[in-house]
Amino acid sequence: MDTQDGRNIDPADQWVLDPETGDYRPRSDAGDTPAPTVPPQGGRRARREEEQRSVPKPREGRRRSGAARSRKAKRSRKRKALMWTAGTLGFVLLAGSGGAYLLYRHFNGNISTVDVGTAGSKNATSKDAVNILVIGTDSRIGLGGKYGDAGSVGHADTTILFHVAKDRSNATAMSIPRDMVTGIPDCPTKQKDGSTKTISGTPRTAFGPRFNESLGQAGRDPGCTMRTVTKITGLPIDHFILVNFEAVKTLSTAVGGVPICLSHAIDDTDPHGQGSHLHLSSGPHTVQGEQALQFVRTRHSLKNGSDLDRIDLQKQFLGSMIRQMKSGDTLSDPRKLFKLVNAATKSLTVDTGIGGVGKLTSLAKDLNRVDSEHITFTTFPVVDNPAEGKIHKTVVIDETRAPALFAAIKDDVSLTKIDKKPKAADAKLRGPKADSSKVRVVVYNGGGPQGAAQTTLQWLQTTKGVTHATSGGNAPGAKQDRTTLIYGPDQADQARALAAMMGLTASALHPGTQDLGPGSDMTLTLGHDYKGAGVPLTDPDKPPVDIPQSHADKNVCVG
């Protein structure tokens, strides 16, 4: 509350309900009275004050009139200050007053949720890393047949895994191609009557199913898409945000348009009359509403006319929208901020873990700690489906590049190039190396390819001359993601020699505190990151190579 002429002024009273649009709007300085749906607080006293404000004052002399004008000017300045404060706090943080509580309820009533069970059970904020699946659906339900096939339940048309590092220093947004062939696991879904129905998964074949079938088809909900991503990447998904066609239109309009840039003109209409029907010249543009939707749906007029080309447009659009949302022009303008919050809460469907204005606000404040320059956009590594011959309509996982990217995301490795000083751990690789005939090691398979321990043993003995190498078979206990080499301080020279032969990173070397003595073996356990004898490992502190990327703080022409 603030005080004005001896009266308590509720910040929420600076907002009134527009009867023409049905939305709240900032109260003008011309003297709008608060809407009945946002009543003044304080009971009888507040009503008496409201009645007093409505009684005309008698006209007085110039001196009195000047004082009145002065008070009016002060009230105007205070109104503006309150509006800016409300804008900065994002409205929903004003829930301490009854009038603002109605705004809170207004936004809260906009939000749609889906209970996806344990797939989205995490709290809105966490001290750990956070994985959010942003799913763009092509469902036409509720759109009045505007985009054809009015009854279509849709697919996971556009999907982005948004990973935020534990320390909030960086984030990675990985686009997942909708036409990627992959298996879909069994999926328990909550029914309207409260029961749970398990939808059978679909095993992968040479030609299907496609990833986009993880949503909508056979009654699958967003939790099924979350489980599919976890199965593919090994990354647990904490929350989902479902976005439909209307969300793109309303959000882009709410921020006042999204700047984009095209390297060449777009005329997106294929010979059959399909396509987004977007027509834009090369160079910079600002898109919003229907044109923004056309932009993110465009693919026919791009280089290969594929979904992968369209992903490049979408990454540019999302990076630019993030800059718009975080800009001072949006956060400090009450009208823009209200439109943004109202549009977002109306247009998005989320899991119950973040299903509420308070939870979404906490999540947004937490994620806002990441600087735009450290938000990197990339694409799930894929290759053309070899089963389709020369005509490629689908893609499959690139088994060479994908694991390195998944490991980097899991380990919070920023894809943004940041100059760092060499770590002390690198010193473990520096120093004298023992002759290969002196290296003693037992090899276990703790997550590598089947038979990896035996094939690695043979490679070490026949190719590298490590005659004192033995196989321990499968390692006991759970599988491990990373390859490790455990050795005693008296075996450091042997460890450096073996690391050089196998391409082990400094992080893979784990020295003990006690000498093991002559004739003792080091312990090499092959993890999931191990791809074969002689294949160097990827350092978890360094981003993988050959991964395309763009950044949220830069606007580069695409197309």
Side-chain angles (χ1 to χ4, degrees):
M1 294 289 184
D2 198 357
T3 301
Q4 179 177 304
D5 293 343
R7 293 178 287 113
N8 288 331
I9 300 299
D10 191 332
D13 285 347
Q14 306 306 309
W15 295 87
V16 296
L17 186 68
D18 189 329
E20 295 183 1
T21 64
D23 289 331
Y24 289 94
R25 62 175 173 79
R27 182 178 173 184
S28 72
D29 293 339
D32 289 341
T33 56
T37 53
V38 187
Q41 301 303 300
R44 294 179 180 178
R45 177 185 174 186
R47 286 195 292 273
R48 285 198 302 270
E49 291 171 353
E50 186 66 21
E51 291 169 359
Q52 291 170 4
R53 289 198 294 270
S54 65
V55 175
K57 303 290 184 185
R59 298 192 62 179
E60 300 182 15
R62 288 187 177 181
R63 186 173 181 179
R64 178 67 175 172
S65 178
R69 284 197 299 271
S70 176
R71 286 196 300 271
K72 184 175 180 179
K74 289 180 180 178
R75 285 198 296 269
S76 177
R77 288 193 295 270
K78 284 201 172 186
R79 282 176 184 158
K80 289 181 179 179
L82 286 170
M83 286 169 59
W84 281 75
T85 301
T88 303
L89 295 179
F91 305 114
V92 295
L93 302 182
L94 296 175
S97 62
Y101 178 66
L102 292 180
L103 281 177
Y104 182 95
R105 289 183 59 190
H106 169 77
F107 292 135
N108 215 48
N110 288 344
I111 300 172
S112 298
T113 62
V114 174
D115 185 354
V116 292
T118 56
S121 59
K122 201 168 186 177
N123 293 330
T125 57
S126 170
K127 294 182 180 180
D128 297 322
V130 178
N131 293 318
I132 302 172
L133 203 63
V134 182
I135 308 171
T137 175
D138 57 0
S139 171
R140 271 69 167 178
I141 293 178
L143 300 181
K146 187 184 298 185
Y147 303 101
D149 195 5
S152 172
V153 295
H155 308 76
D157 192 52
T158 300
T159 305
I160 297 174
L161 172 59
F162 190 67
H163 170 84
V164 184
K166 180 177 181 179
D167 62 2
R168 306 301 186 254
S169 63
N170 68 87
T172 299
M174 180 179 69
S175 296
I176 303 176
R178 65 175 187 175
D179 293 328
M180 179 175 65
V181 172
T182 183
I184 300 174
D186 291 347
C187 179
T189 60
K190 289 291 183 69
Q191 305 300 299
K192 292 182 179 180
D193 61 3
S195 63
T196 299
K197 176 184 177 182
T198 298
I199 299 174
S200 299
T202 307
R204 175 184 168 178
T205 67
F207 301 99
R210 301 187 187 192
F211 174 80
N212 67 351
E213 296 175 39
S214 64
L215 176 69
Q217 310 309 299
R220 294 183 176 118
D221 65 13
C224 301
T225 307
M226 297 168 75
R227 290 179 171 86
T228 301
V229 173
T230 296
K231 180 181 178 181
I232 298 171
T233 65
L235 298 167
I237 308 301
D238 303 311
H239 303 292
F240 81 85
I241 298 175
L242 187 68
V243 183
N244 62 17
F245 286 169
E246 288 299 309
V248 176
K249 294 166 59 176
T250 54
L251 290 174
S252 62
T253 301
V255 297
V258 178
I260 54 96
C261 185
L262 296 174
S263 57
H264 64 78
I266 285 182
D267 184 9
D268 195 66
T269 303
D270 73 2
H272 303 289
Q274 299 179 355
S276 70
H277 303 284
L278 179 67
H279 307 286
L280 284 177
S281 61
S282 60
H285 299 274
T286 298
V287 295
Q288 61 179 294
E290 190 72 35
Q291 194 174 54
L293 177 60
Q294 290 175 323
F295 181 78
V296 297
R297 295 184 66 204
T298 292
R299 68 185 178 96
H300 292 291
S301 64
L302 303 179
K303 181 172 60 176
N304 297 315
S306 69
D307 184 48
L308 296 179
D309 288 336
R310 184 175 64 169
I311 284 175
D312 289 337
L313 295 187
Q314 293 170 347
K315 287 189 292 189
Q316 184 198 55
F317 180 86
L318 289 174
S320 185
M321 179 175 279
I322 288 173
R323 291 194 298 274
Q324 289 293 97
M325 288 181 175
K326 298 183 73 169
S327 71
D329 288 345
T330 298
L331 296 180
S332 62
D333 186 324
R335 289 177 175 82
K336 280 189 178 181
L337 191 55
F338 180 89
K339 288 180 180 179
L340 177 60
V341 176
N342 201 41
T345 53
K346 280 184 177 180
S347 306
L348 307 179
T349 299
V350 299
D351 61 273
T352 50
I354 53 176
V357 170
K359 294 177 180 179
L360 282 173
T361 301
S362 297
L363 179 64
K365 289 174 64 179
D366 189 26
L367 302 187
N368 196 49
R369 293 161 54 192
V370 184
D371 291 334
S372 297
E373 64 179 316
H374 294 146
I375 300 176
T376 307
F377 290 90
T378 189
T379 304
F380 190 112
V382 293
V383 294
D384 288 334
N385 188 351
E388 292 180 332
K390 294 182 179 180
I391 301 176
H392 296 290
K393 294 183 178 180
T394 61
V395 293
V396 295
I397 299 173
D398 185 338
E399 298 291 354
T400 301
R401 295 185 301 149
L405 177 58
F406 302 158
I409 293 175
K410 184 174 183 178
D411 293 332
D412 282 354
V413 178
S414 174
L415 300 188
T416 305
K417 294 181 180 179
I418 304 175
D419 293 331
K420 295 183 179 179
K421 295 180 179 179
K423 290 192 173 184
D426 293 339
K428 290 185 289 188
L429 297 175
R430 296 192 292 268
K433 301 177 179 62
D435 184 84
S436 59
S437 62
K438 304 294 183 182
V439 174
R440 306 185 67 92
V441 61
V442 57
V443 184
Y444 291 94
N445 187 2
Q450 186 175 2
Q454 185 62 34
T455 56
T456 300
L457 170 65
Q458 295 174 351
W459 179 79
L460 287 172
Q461 291 177 336
T462 60
T463 305
K464 296 299 180 180
V466 183
T467 55
H468 296 293
T470 57
S471 173
N474 292 327
K479 292 185 177 181
Q480 60 187 55
D481 293 325
R482 292 286 174 185
T483 296
T484 59
L485 176 63
I486 300 175
Y487 59 96
D490 58 334
Q491 297 173 314
D493 58 342
Q494 296 183 46
R496 287 190 287 267
L498 188 63
M501 296 176 204
M502 300 187 61
L504 303 181
T505 61
S507 60
L509 274 59
H510 296 268
T513 57
Q514 295 181 347
D515 291 342
L516 300 182
S520 299
D521 291 331
M522 300 184 293
T523 302
L524 175 66
T525 305
L526 308 177
H528 184 68
D529 61 339
Y530 186 73
K531 301 308 172 189
V535 180
L537 300 182
T538 300
D539 194 314
D541 294 324
K542 296 180 180 179
V545 296
D546 299 329
I547 298 295
Q549 56 183 260
S550 57
H551 304 280
D553 66 323
K554 295 179 175 62
N555 189 17
V556 180
C557 293
V558 297

